[in-house]
Amino acid sequence: MNTQNIISRKQNGIVQPLLTDLYQITMAYAYWKTGKVMDNSVFDLFFRKNPFQGEFTIFAGLEECLKFLEAFHFSESDIEYLKQTMPSVEDDFFVFLSNLSARDVVIYALDEGTVVFPRIPLIRIEGPLIVTQLLETTFLTLVNYASLMATNAARYRIAAGNSKLLELGLRRAQGPDGGLSASKYSYIGGFDGTSNVLAGKLYNIPVKGTHAHAYVTSFTNFSELHTRILHSKNDGKPYDFVQLAIKWRSELGPLFKVVNAEVNDGELAAFISFAMAFPDQFMVLVDTYDIERYPFHLTYNTFIPRQKCLPNTPMHSKYRSGLLNFCAVTLALNDLAFQAIGIRIDSGDIAYLSYVAREYFSKISTKYEIPWFKDLIIMASNDINEETILSLNDQGHKINCFGIGTHLVTCQKQPSLGCVYKLVDLNNVPRMKLSQDVAKVSLPGRKDAYRLFSERGDALIDLLVQTDEEPPSVGSKILCRHAFEESKRAYVTPSKVEKLHKLYWKDGLICRPLPNLEEIRDNVTRSLKSLRSDIKRNHNPTPYKVAVSDNLYSFLHNLWMESAPIGELT
């Protein structure tokens, strides 16, 4: 295991037993006083509705829950603080708390990175009532945002197709821990890298970055370039790189239909400086100076005919300066056997500008017989969200990399997943939460989840069964029922059956090898591929079916009738 993976296995120091709501501790004290120390419980952690108006969710955060269990212990300072906070509580309870551990807890869970659906328990927590109750808030905070973030990232990945995705949201995240979590779980969900350097170190995520507008505006002319020499990558000979770039700019001027008075020397000086610092990773921001006008009004929702995007289209000279300066420096690098990466566009109509840039790249590639030039990266990073990418797709843009920040890390479309943690069994007696809102009625007892697949290999339905009943099997005709609507039922004969719940924690130990981020990321890809495309689409997705077995349906409704009070009309 490499250093990065060792670091990533360390527990987050913020995650500790006191990272909880006070009422968990007050309940623990009340349980203790009532004599429920030996009571054995089962809790389900699940959610009721998929986020982002979609029909799937990615489960994430399991590893952090397991690391929390490994380190679960109230320290001396924790106990002292609780004594001050709860002065009326008996001292013996604090002695009891100081000796608590998660050794007697048992955890069944889905694999991290699995696509999941409402009402399926993501984690089943079994063990002493007081301990399992104390885990609730911490488990929820570890799973809620992680799963929401991974799901948001997966939706961006689906929208972007094969384009590269970079997470750039640290400066917009909800604090340092939120920024690190966003980087980690966006990578799990399908992003290709992050700008967050600490996340790169902690989680072995590829780190990417260019420069800010400030770097370009800090240069005004070539006299600020105190270093002018760059050595060829091939033979090591020194060349005056400044003169080489200026020569190329003059040669490209007619192609861009730009005269010297229209180009910005400070911008070219900035690009030369950056290229000399990073000749093999040259990628720059080309829109530092305002784009003041276009040949016609454009928005993200405007379709741009290809013929209107040719390089001879009138366009503000300062943008042409940025693109011209980039191409000049890139050709100068090519003369010295270096290959540039591409450009970033952070303002303006990015669909139109991507067309313009790609046309210039293609023309230069053909004219100077440089095949890779036409495939230079065009990265867009202008407050982009999922709908923006879908709109750009409709326009047939030429972008092959998106940098996503605010809308990704803050999950602006939906700020919370809404996972809940419900008691479903106590001392082998099933427990059920009743509500006039059927959506909030819990499914009692220990349950296992199975995924049934069609002959085509698609995931067809998730089936919840009681843990003591016969599991579904391949080729068997299985009655699948809606948990609460009697008329909704169907027979399914699966070609493949996958048990979703696996034992992850017992006797104070993690029971199975934990995957690294790359393996979790691969699981996300595999799991999503098993869903039909209509379930994953952005607009009006088809709901995925979650059902209960006939035995569980009967048990649920009998218990409901026994538990629900009978009203009396007067």
Side-chain angles (χ1 to χ4, degrees):
M1 182 179 290
N2 63 29
T3 303
Q4 287 88 347
N5 283 335
I6 292 171
I7 293 172
S8 72
R9 292 297 185 206
K10 290 183 179 179
Q11 184 197 11
N12 186 334
I14 297 173
V15 182
Q16 52 186 288
L18 289 193
L19 185 66
T20 190
D21 296 306
L22 180 62
Y23 84 163
Q24 307 291 5
I25 299 172
T26 59
M27 280 193 290
Y29 178 55
Y31 286 147
W32 178 81
K33 277 190 69 71
T34 310
K36 287 183 172 287
V37 172
M38 301 304 295
D39 283 16
N40 197 67
S41 63
V42 180
F43 284 87
D44 283 348
L45 190 156
F46 63 96
F47 61 94
R48 298 186 176 109
K49 187 177 181 181
N50 288 303
F52 311 117
Q53 293 85 53
E55 290 297 340
F56 72 87
T57 301
I58 302 298
F59 171 46
L62 175 62
E63 180 187 337
E64 294 299 324
C65 291
L66 296 173
K67 290 193 292 187
F68 172 57
L69 291 178
E70 283 185 311
F72 184 85
H73 174 70
F74 286 92
S75 67
E76 290 183 10
S77 63
D78 292 341
I79 297 298
E80 287 304 313
Y81 173 75
L82 290 175
K83 284 181 178 180
Q84 296 170 23
T85 305
M86 307 167 68
S88 64
V89 170
E90 300 170 41
D91 284 344
D92 286 349
F93 172 69
F94 294 117
V95 174
F96 169 78
L97 270 190
S98 67
N99 291 318
L100 276 186
S101 74
R103 179 174 177 78
D104 295 324
V105 173
V106 178
I107 297 290
Y108 291 88
L110 281 67
D111 290 336
E112 192 159 2
T114 299
V115 63
V116 292
F117 305 97
R119 291 201 171 274
I120 298 295
L122 309 180
I123 306 175
R124 188 170 81 233
I125 304 98
E126 304 180 4
L129 175 61
I130 292 178
V131 181
T132 55
Q133 187 70 69
L134 288 170
L135 299 177
E136 176 181 1
T137 300
T138 315
F139 270 33
L140 287 174
T141 196
L142 291 173
V143 171
N144 260 314
Y145 181 69
S147 299
L148 186 74
M149 186 68 240
T151 306
N152 201 22
R155 292 176 63 87
Y156 276 94
R157 169 45 63 206
I158 292 170
N162 294 324
S163 296
K164 293 284 186 182
L165 287 173
L166 302 180
E167 177 269 312
L168 312 178
L170 177 59
R171 63 186 59 194
R172 302 284 189 259
Q174 283 91 341
D177 196 66
L180 286 170
S181 295
S183 299
K184 177 180 180 179
Y185 294 111
S186 65
Y187 187 66
I188 284 174
F191 272 60
D192 299 291
T194 178
S195 64
N196 186 337
V197 180
L198 182 57
K201 175 186 176 183
L202 293 177
Y203 308 125
N204 202 22
I205 299 172
V207 180
K208 305 291 183 181
T210 53
H211 60 76
H213 293 290
Y215 188 82
V216 177
T217 58
S218 72
F219 290 84
T220 56
N221 55 62
F222 301 122
S223 66
E224 298 171 75
L225 296 171
H226 303 298
T227 301
R228 301 174 63 94
I229 300 302
L230 184 64
H231 293 80
S232 170
K233 190 175 182 179
N234 278 344
D235 56 21
K237 290 182 179 179
Y239 289 85
D240 186 329
F241 189 68
V242 179
Q243 285 302 318
L244 195 57
I246 293 172
K247 176 186 77 75
W248 272 113
R249 187 173 71 175
S250 297
E251 182 167 332
L252 291 174
L255 177 66
F256 282 77
K257 301 188 184 301
V258 175
V259 297
N260 286 338
E262 293 179 312
V263 295
N264 189 296
D265 286 347
E267 183 180 56
L268 180 58
F271 288 0
I272 290 171
S273 169
F274 204 71
M276 293 180 73
F278 302 100
D280 279 315
Q281 295 93 38
F282 181 60
M283 185 171 187
V284 291
L285 195 56
V286 294
D287 64 340
T288 295
Y289 300 102
D290 289 341
I291 306 168
E292 296 177 8
R293 62 183 174 87
Y294 294 99
F296 45 85
H297 179 68
L298 295 170
T299 67
Y300 283 139
N301 296 315
T302 303
F303 177 73
I304 305 165
R306 185 177 179 84
Q307 64 270 20
K308 292 189 178 182
C309 297
L310 297 173
N312 61 2
T313 301
M315 181 176 57
H316 191 266
S317 62
K318 287 181 180 177
Y319 177 76
R320 280 155 52 193
S321 169
L323 200 56
L324 170 58
N325 283 332
F326 166 77
C327 291
V329 174
T330 297
L331 287 168
L333 286 171
N334 179 69
D335 286 345
L336 305 186
F338 296 104
Q339 184 171 324
I341 302 297
I343 63 171
R344 179 162 71 94
I345 304 170
D346 195 49
S347 63
D349 193 297
I350 56 179
Y352 168 71
L353 297 176
S354 73
Y355 265 99
V356 173
R358 188 63 70 198
E359 290 289 348
Y360 278 120
F361 294 163
S362 296
K363 280 183 170 290
I364 291 171
S365 175
T366 301
K367 182 174 182 178
Y368 297 104
E369 298 183 347
I370 307 172
W372 55 262
F373 210 105
K374 68 180 184 301
D375 299 318
L376 284 165
I377 288 175
I378 299 174
M379 177 180 173
S381 59
N382 184 20
D383 201 28
I384 294 168
N385 59 31
E386 184 183 353
E387 284 69 29
T388 302
I389 296 176
L390 293 170
S391 176
L392 290 167
N393 291 343
D394 291 339
Q395 299 173 47
H397 64 84
K398 298 300 180 181
I399 299 158
N400 47 14
C401 181
F402 292 96
I404 318 291
T406 304
H407 291 277
L408 174 68
V409 304
T410 64
C411 298
Q412 284 191 351
K413 198 172 178 181
Q414 180 173 327
S416 176
L417 176 57
C419 285
V420 294
Y421 189 97
K422 297 299 179 185
L423 179 68
V424 296
D425 188 282
L426 187 65
N427 298 326
N428 295 315
V429 178
R431 301 300 168 107
M432 184 177 186
K433 180 188 181 298
L434 300 181
S435 174
Q436 290 183 338
D437 182 356
V438 173
K440 291 192 173 183
V441 175
S442 61
L443 300 179
R446 289 179 174 85
K447 300 168 291 294
D448 286 324
Y450 293 85
R451 186 156 293 167
L452 312 184
F453 293 82
S454 70
E455 289 184 354
R456 297 183 304 275
D458 300 326
L460 192 61
I461 193 169
D462 280 8
L463 182 67
L464 285 169
V465 306
Q466 295 173 292
T467 55
D468 58 356
E469 70 173 290
E470 190 73 19
S473 58
V474 172
S476 299
K477 192 176 183 180
I478 302 159
L479 179 59
C480 300
R481 308 196 62 161
H482 189 285
F484 302 108
E485 297 184 36
E486 186 174 12
S487 63
K488 290 188 175 181
R489 52 187 179 169
Y491 284 108
V492 175
T493 304
S495 296
K496 174 186 171 185
V497 175
E498 179 184 343
K499 185 174 182 180
L500 298 180
H501 288 117
K502 299 173 184 176
L503 180 63
Y504 267 94
W505 175 270
K506 189 176 182 181
D507 298 327
L509 297 171
I510 296 173
C511 299
R512 57 194 316 112
L514 295 182
N516 59 35
L517 288 196
E518 293 294 339
E519 292 166 332
I520 297 172
R521 178 183 166 91
D522 290 344
N523 188 38
V524 172
T525 302
R526 284 193 306 271
S527 195
L528 281 172
K529 279 184 178 178
S530 72
L531 296 185
R532 299 193 315 270
S533 59
D534 58 303
I535 297 170
K536 297 178 286 188
R537 67 190 175 205
N538 177 270
H539 299 296
N540 299 317
T542 303
Y544 182 84
K545 293 178 175 60
V546 174
V548 298
S549 67
D550 193 40
N551 284 347
L552 180 54
Y553 175 86
S554 300
F555 173 75
L556 162 65
H557 284 264
N558 289 337
L559 183 61
W560 195 348
M561 291 300 100
E562 291 174 7
S563 304
I566 300 175
E568 183 175 340
L569 298 177
T570 58

